[in-house]
Amino acid sequence: MLLGLLSESECRAALWLDERAIDSAAVLQRWPDLVQVPPRLGVTPDTTAVRGVFRAAILWLGQQATDEAWATEHLLLGIVASEDETALWLADAGFAADELARRIGSRYHDAELEPALSQPLMLDSPAPESGNTALRIIDAAANRAREGLRVVEDYARFGLDDRFLTGELKRLRHDLAAALEAWGPRDLLANRETRQDVGTTVSTPGELLRSDVAAVLVSNFKRIEEALRSLEEYGKLTAPAAAAACESLRYRAYTLEKALLTTHDARQRLAAARLYVLTDGAASAESFADRVALLVAVGVGCVQLRAKDLDDRELLARAQILRELTRDADTLAIVNDRADISRLARADGVHLGQEDLSVKDARNVVGPRCMIGVSTHSIEQARAAVLDGADYIGVGPTFASTTKSFAAFTGLELLVAVAAELGLPAFAIGGIDAANLDQVLQTGIVRVAVSGAIWNAADPRAAAAALTARLAAAADQPTSPSSSTRP
């Protein structure tokens, strides 16, 4: 459509485009894959994008759009206001819908125009009863979306004590309310016909049953997403800008569904995992097997193989030993950095640093059931890990370590921030031992990852057993009313 306007070099739209140095060559440079096809006279392409251009122009021009014959400047306004890739490109060149609307209004009516969002008009406007139908559907979908959001927000707040996810869901709910203003709450209410709604008497047995909390969450997230899709589709008939907002909200809901359900599942899977021990590959395979067997016997929750000095074959062999010795135990087998080794060894998980594979890329390697942990060194990284779908996070470094050097330490402050905000299982890392464990527990974090505290001890078995017992006691006797649910 933009190229069509430019092909009429004397039309007003082409002249206005020329003011911003936009010509056919500039368009083809931006979209080099465009292919010219022979024109078919008298045929106007009927596509979603073209209809969106007309609707966007009508939203700005209001009644004028039906009073006047359409000119090229009307179409240019529709392109600029359509909120697609072309509109963004034109915006970068300096075009703005309000400026174009004023120029058009000044030319035709000597008046400035504002968007007609409060009472949007439509091309080929449907009969009144059809418009009422759209508003009935929008009202019902809006109610479903709000109800579903409240259900999942309540679980994030009261079930997970997760301030971050609760805040994200609350923002989603408030942004939905803002989008719904485009249709007018009173207009929606006026079109509500609950007593005549045939759907109120249609139900299935499954609607009355939920097997567990996860089933409640899944059901309500689907309710939210389906309702947002309905708002988006029927909104295109009446308020395209609000429909686009609902599309964005739907994608945010997808992300939060993943984060909330991952947090729920990870807390169950790691419920008993309080002590997480890192070990290198040891001097030999036999020595490594002895180490793992010691940790399994004590009841350590997770054992991570971190052996950067081994070649790939040796690393895989150690990972397979780890897997074999933990197969029938409650101890989880984790491989550091290497998603490929973790998958080949069929380990329970892989742990990633900030410079390693992303959670998304690692998930493509290890599959859907393998746990993915992420080291985080700031509250922003911790939040990102939650939204990326990590199953747990390491938080630190808290203190100086005898097994790994750090340029800086995040200290206890980061542990406090994570414990207060996130419900995802979190392990404090970096220099933690029996001497400073109480300081860690006072932050609200009740899981720790250690290495030197075990392997530098005179009796590694006794050291591991002592830390396990202290962490278990801390979980049973929380230091504050909310600590029992802290990550």
Side-chain angles (χ1 to χ4, degrees):
M1 186 175 283
L2 184 60
L3 284 173
L5 295 177
L6 289 168
S7 69
E8 299 292 334
S9 59
E10 299 302 318
C11 75
R12 191 163 290 105
L15 295 175
W16 289 359
L17 288 163
D18 183 65
E19 293 174 4
R20 303 285 184 177
I22 300 294
D23 56 16
S24 297
V27 175
L28 293 172
Q29 182 178 5
R30 171 59 182 82
W31 290 281
D33 294 334
L34 288 174
V35 177
Q36 184 175 6
V37 297
R40 293 187 293 163
L41 296 178
V43 176
T44 300
D46 182 20
T47 67
T48 300
V50 170
R51 291 194 297 273
V53 166
F54 281 92
R55 291 193 181 102
I58 290 173
L59 286 173
W60 275 91
L61 298 174
Q63 189 61 36
Q64 180 192 324
T66 59
D67 291 343
E68 301 289 341
W70 280 65
T72 57
E73 54 266 39
H74 297 82
L75 297 178
L76 178 59
L77 171 60
I79 295 173
V80 170
S82 61
E83 300 181 352
D84 67 0
E85 184 180 4
T86 313
L88 294 175
W89 184 66
L90 290 173
D92 289 340
F95 282 94
D98 55 351
E99 176 190 354
L100 288 176
R102 281 192 293 270
R103 293 184 72 171
I104 293 171
S106 176
R107 175 171 180 77
Y108 288 97
H109 293 283
D110 195 26
E112 292 188 354
L113 297 175
E114 295 294 336
L117 291 175
S118 59
Q119 294 181 334
L121 302 175
M122 296 175 289
L123 291 178
D124 301 324
S125 297
E129 60 271 19
S130 177
N132 291 345
T133 296
L135 289 178
R136 282 188 67 192
I137 294 171
I138 289 169
D139 177 56
N143 290 336
R144 288 197 301 271
R146 283 190 295 246
E147 292 160 3
L149 279 169
R150 177 61 76 178
V151 171
V152 297
E153 182 185 328
D154 280 349
Y155 182 71
R157 178 181 176 184
F158 300 112
L160 298 178
D161 287 335
D162 193 308
R163 184 180 301 173
F164 173 61
L165 289 178
T166 299
E168 292 296 303
L169 288 163
K170 185 175 183 178
R171 276 187 284 276
L172 185 62
R173 183 163 49 82
H174 287 184
D175 290 345
L176 172 60
L180 293 174
E181 290 292 332
W183 288 289
R186 291 190 177 183
D187 291 342
L188 294 179
L189 193 62
N191 281 278
R192 185 177 301 171
E193 294 288 351
T194 307
R195 296 181 65 183
Q196 283 74 42
D197 183 356
V198 298
T200 60
T201 60
V202 177
S203 63
T204 63
E207 293 181 37
L208 303 177
L209 301 173
R210 294 288 184 267
S211 58
D212 53 23
V213 169
V216 173
L217 297 175
V218 170
S219 176
N220 279 276
F221 267 114
K222 297 312 175 191
R223 181 190 301 267
I224 295 163
E225 292 150 5
E226 290 165 2
L228 288 171
R229 184 68 188 208
S230 193
L231 288 169
E232 177 188 342
E233 293 300 324
Y234 287 98
K236 292 173 183 177
L237 300 174
T238 55
C246 289
E247 179 186 28
S248 176
L249 295 176
R250 180 163 53 86
Y251 289 127
R252 285 167 60 187
Y254 292 150
T255 298
L256 291 174
E257 177 184 19
K258 177 180 179 179
L260 192 64
L261 286 167
T262 298
T263 299
H264 169 77
D265 292 345
R267 284 168 67 108
Q268 291 190 324
R269 197 170 177 183
L270 291 167
R274 301 291 175 175
L275 181 61
Y276 185 130
V277 178
L278 289 73
T279 178
D280 59 22
S284 65
E286 292 76 14
S287 178
F288 176 76
D290 290 341
R291 283 190 173 193
V292 174
L294 177 155
L295 298 175
V296 170
V298 170
V300 168
C302 302
V303 176
Q304 181 192 127
L305 169 59
R306 186 178 185 275
K308 295 181 179 294
D309 57 329
L310 298 180
D311 62 38
D312 285 2
R313 293 186 180 184
E314 289 179 307
L315 183 61
L316 176 58
R318 297 290 202 279
Q320 289 170 332
I321 292 171
L322 175 61
R323 168 72 291 173
E324 187 60 31
L325 292 173
T326 59
R327 187 181 307 279
D328 298 321
D330 293 330
T331 303
L332 297 173
I334 310 293
V335 175
N336 185 66
D337 291 351
R338 299 290 298 273
D340 54 341
I341 298 295
S342 178
R343 175 158 186 172
L344 288 171
R346 294 179 173 81
D348 294 300
V350 61
H351 188 85
L352 307 171
Q354 288 294 317
E355 305 301 322
D356 297 327
L357 290 177
S358 66
V359 173
K360 174 181 178 294
D361 290 335
R363 181 65 68 199
N364 288 335
V365 176
V366 299
R369 294 301 302 155
C370 184
M371 302 192 77
I372 297 178
V374 177
S375 292
T376 62
H377 316 301
S378 68
I379 190 63
E380 292 78 18
Q381 289 179 357
R383 293 169 185 157
V386 171
L387 296 180
D388 288 342
D391 295 283
Y392 72 87
I393 54 175
V395 184
T398 308
F399 306 110
S401 171
T402 61
T403 58
K404 187 176 180 180
S405 59
F406 300 100
F409 301 96
T410 59
L412 297 169
E413 293 78 9
L414 180 57
L415 300 185
V416 171
V418 169
E421 187 169 329
L422 304 183
L424 192 72
F427 293 85
I429 59 176
I432 298 168
D433 56 24
N436 56 34
L437 179 60
D438 285 343
Q439 297 178 61
V440 172
L441 295 176
Q442 288 170 6
T443 68
I445 295 289
V446 293
R447 292 180 170 89
V448 300
V450 301
S451 180
I454 304 299
W455 308 121
N456 294 338
D459 186 343
R461 178 187 293 271
L467 287 175
T468 299
R470 289 178 64 183
L471 289 167
D476 292 337
Q477 297 179 346
T479 56
S480 67
S482 62
S483 293
S484 60
T485 57
R486 287 295 86 207

